[in-house]
């Protein structure tokens, strides 16, 4: 099974900050990597797929990069609506999620 | 617009069964693979099962293989999850989710999710 590990688990940041979340796979997943945002009590929302492709309707301040085993999600300028938990997901071999990164207000 | 609405959750005793449903609308149901994903209270997301667009292929996570069965009725635009031999650790919010539209990769991420239905396994 492919394991996905995110870091950090929690991130404290301020509005306007540049934020980067890392996701590492236990083996190569090529570019088959997605990022989701989840707010409390709500379903996850797809942000990025194929490592760097922005889903329709998602603000351009979100970007993704990486391939193989190491990936990053970057929020260029954190907005109040961005405080949430973020998950990576590999879909190279079945589907596996990372444990999540909570972005909280500093 | 695309809608996925789960139902069937509730409180059930350990060892008993429950069937979840996911009613879909706003898209051509029979053209998409569909998934079940769960989230235990305060925990992360766990993929459980997938069914192909026509129901001919099904795959499961090891944690539910042999206990849970995914199925679909394309005439009713409805996805199901039959859960047997339930355990306390199956307590979670259960989501149905759809494959990303226009996805051309062998497997796909999920572009639409339901609101979730809570299953509590407790005596």
């Amino acid at each position: 099974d492919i394991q996905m590990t995110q870091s950090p688990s929690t991130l404290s940041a301020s509005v306007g900050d540049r934020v980067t979340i890392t996701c590492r796979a236990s083996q190569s997943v090529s570019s088959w990597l997605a990022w989701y945002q989840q707010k409390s009590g709500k379903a996850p929302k797809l942000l990025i797929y194929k490592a760097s492709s922005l889903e329709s309707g998602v603000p351009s301040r979100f970007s993704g990069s990486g391939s193989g085993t190491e990936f990053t999600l970057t929020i260029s300028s954190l907005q109040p609506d961005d405080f949430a938990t973020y998950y990576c997901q590999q879909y190279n071999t079945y589907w596996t999620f990372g444990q999540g990164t909570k972005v909280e207000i500093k | 617009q695309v809608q996925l609405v789960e139902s069937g959750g509730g409180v059930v005793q350990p060892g008993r069964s429950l069937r979840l449903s996911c009613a879909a609308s706003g898209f051509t149901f029979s053209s998409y693979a569909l998934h079940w994903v769960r989230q235990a209270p305060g925990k992360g997301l766990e993929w459980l099962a997938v069914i192909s667009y026509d129901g001919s292929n099904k795959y499961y996570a090891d944690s539910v293989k042999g206990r849970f069965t995914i199925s679909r009725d394309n005439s009713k635009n409805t996805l199901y999850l039959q859960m047997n031999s339930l355990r306390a650790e199956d307590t979670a919010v259960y989501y149905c989710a759809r494959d990303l539209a226009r996805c051309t990769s062998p497997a796909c991420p999920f572009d639409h999710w339901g609101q979730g239905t809570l299953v509590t396994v407790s005596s």
Side-chain angles (χ1 to χ4, degrees):
Chain A
D1 292 5
I2 299 177
Q3 311 299 321
M4 306 301 291
T5 304
Q6 290 181 230
S7 59
S9 296
T10 306
L11 187 159
S12 298
S14 302
V15 172
D17 284 354
R18 181 181 181 88
V19 166
T20 298
I21 299 169
T22 298
C23 177
R24 290 186 172 86
S26 59
Q27 63 190 78
S28 176
V29 299
S30 185
S31 294
W32 306 125
L33 191 285
W35 289 96
Y36 297 84
Q37 176 192 67
Q38 186 181 35
K39 297 182 179 179
S40 182
K42 300 294 187 182
K45 173 187 174 183
L46 178 65
L47 301 175
I48 302 281
Y49 62 96
K50 205 176 177 183
S52 60
S53 296
L54 195 67
E55 170 67 340
S56 176
V58 174
S60 59
R61 63 181 180 272
F62 291 93
S63 63
S65 65
S67 66
T69 62
E70 189 153 338
F71 302 86
T72 58
L73 173 70
T74 299
I75 309 172
S76 60
S77 178
L78 198 66
Q79 298 302 301
D81 191 49
D82 301 338
F83 291 97
T85 300
Y86 293 83
Y87 293 92
C88 63
Q89 177 204 41
Q90 69 81 19
Y91 52 99
N92 181 76
T93 306
Y94 298 108
W95 296 263
T96 314
F97 292 92
Q99 82 279 14
T101 295
K102 183 177 182 180
V103 177
E104 59 182 28
I105 300 172
K106 190 173 184 179
Chain B
Q1 74 279 23
V2 173
Q3 275 203 309
L4 297 168
V5 179
E6 302 93 338
S7 61
V11 180
V12 61
Q13 293 179 328
R16 303 298 291 262
S17 299
L18 203 62
R19 188 178 82 157
L20 305 183
S21 300
C22 171
S25 60
F27 65 100
T28 305
F29 183 78
S30 58
S31 295
Y32 287 85
L34 296 165
H35 304 257
W36 286 100
V37 177
R38 71 183 177 186
Q39 187 169 36
K43 302 298 184 183
L45 300 166
E46 180 186 16
W47 173 80
L48 298 179
V50 61
I51 186 168
S52 60
Y53 69 98
D54 61 356
S56 61
N57 292 294
K58 305 173 187 181
Y59 299 97
Y60 299 91
D62 288 344
S63 59
V64 302
K65 198 176 297 182
R67 297 190 302 124
F68 290 11
T69 301
I70 189 171
S71 63
R72 65 190 296 162
D73 186 336
N74 284 350
S75 69
K76 295 182 178 179
N77 287 1
T78 303
L79 173 72
Y80 302 100
L81 185 68
Q82 177 67 41
M83 304 186 294
N84 298 331
S85 303
L86 283 162
R87 307 165 180 165
E89 54 265 37
D90 295 318
T91 294
V93 173
Y94 285 73
Y95 295 100
C96 58
R98 190 193 81 167
D99 263 6
L100 173 67
R102 307 173 311 281
C103 175
T104 57
S105 54
C108 304
F110 315 147
D111 65 353
H112 288 277
W113 299 62
Q115 84 289 351
T117 187
L118 176 63
V119 173
T120 303
V121 183
S122 173
S123 54

